[in-house]
């Protein structure tokens, strides 16, 4: 069993379900911009870096985290390293910050908080269809369509 930090699920299926944990690195960054003839500008930036696809999303706060004790089989291993994730968060923060302030210099960036956390994807079956539910936005997807298996027609103990 592993102890991991999980982003607080908002949505959950009404029926019994399993889950898989998808890795993110979450950053609270503080950007300090120097400006000629004016007061310096300071921004807080929250980056959610996807450790599978190396994408970064901006958040408006640091999401609430819970500690779960889970079987290691439900935890997806990150494909992106810590340093690469941090650089992606910095790049995202600078792009966002530069659209809000005019400065001759790149900002000085302070890492206020950094966490490895997992997003919960619920796995369940409804009306014979295998589904996956995003615990943060409530999006529901057909697992059979995503995996290319289409609808199942097999019946009996040997079907999966």
């Amino acid at each position: 069993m592993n102890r991991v930090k999980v982003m607080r699920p908002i949505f959950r299926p009404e029926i019994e379900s399993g889950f898989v944990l998808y890795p993110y690195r979450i950053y609270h960054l503080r950007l300090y911009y120097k400006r000629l003839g004016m007061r310096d500008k300071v921004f807080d930036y929250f980056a959610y870096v996807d450790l599978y696809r190396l994408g970064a999303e901006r958040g408006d706060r640091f999401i609430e985290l819970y500690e779960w004790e889970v079987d290691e089989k439900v935890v997806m291993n990150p494909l992106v390293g810590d340093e690469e994730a941090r650089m992606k968060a910095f790049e995202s923060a600078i792009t966002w910050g530069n659209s809000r302030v005019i400065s001759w210099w790149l900002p000085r960036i302070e890492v206020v908080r950094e966490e490895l956390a997992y997003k919960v994807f619920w796995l369940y079956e409804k009306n014979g269809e295998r589904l996956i539910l995003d615990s943060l936005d409530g999006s529901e997807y057909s697992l059979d369509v995503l995996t290319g298996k289409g609808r199942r027609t097999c019946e009996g103990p040997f079907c999966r």
Side-chain angles (χ1 to χ4, degrees):
M1 296 295 265
N2 287 349
R3 188 177 269 309
V4 297
K5 292 187 179 177
V6 173
M7 296 180 209
R8 182 181 67 81
I10 298 169
F11 296 94
R12 184 181 187 126
E14 295 175 4
I15 56 181
E16 187 175 326
S17 60
F19 60 88
V20 66
L21 299 178
Y22 189 94
Y24 278 83
R25 190 155 289 279
I26 306 171
Y27 296 89
H28 175 191
L29 304 174
R30 191 157 291 139
L31 288 76
Y32 297 90
Y33 281 93
K34 290 179 91 171
R35 299 188 307 165
L36 287 175
M38 297 191 299
R39 289 189 1 221
D40 293 349
K41 200 75 164 161
V42 179
F43 294 110
D44 284 310
Y45 185 83
F46 301 92
Y48 294 81
V49 179
D50 181 323
L51 297 182
Y52 249 69
R53 296 177 293 176
L54 191 59
E57 294 180 50
R58 184 180 70 83
D60 51 351
R61 62 183 168 79
F62 205 98
I63 194 165
E64 189 177 349
L65 300 177
Y66 294 132
E67 281 198 6
W68 284 10
E69 195 161 308
V70 298
D71 188 327
E72 62 190 40
K73 289 186 265 184
V74 301
V75 179
M76 294 174 67
N77 293 321
L79 297 178
V80 174
D82 294 347
E83 192 59 35
E84 196 174 8
R86 180 178 285 202
M87 288 302 108
K88 187 64 173 180
F90 282 17
E91 174 188 310
S92 176
I94 290 169
T95 299
W96 177 83
N98 286 351
S99 71
R100 278 147 184 74
V101 66
I102 296 173
S103 175
W104 285 97
W105 302 275
L106 285 174
R108 180 174 61 84
I109 301 176
E110 171 189 354
V111 178
V112 177
R113 183 177 175 193
E114 173 182 354
E115 296 280 352
L116 171 64
Y118 294 86
K119 183 179 188 178
V120 179
F121 283 95
W122 303 106
L123 305 169
Y124 60 103
E125 196 167 314
K126 181 168 72 175
N127 301 327
E129 184 176 17
R130 297 181 313 156
L131 299 169
I132 186 166
L133 176 71
D134 184 318
S135 68
L136 295 182
D137 71 10
S139 298
E140 188 176 77
Y141 307 95
S142 168
L143 194 54
D144 294 328
V145 171
L146 290 174
T147 59
K149 293 183 180 178
R151 292 189 81 74
R152 294 186 308 164
T153 56
C154 180
E155 297 290 329
F158 301 108
C159 298
R160 293 195 180 252

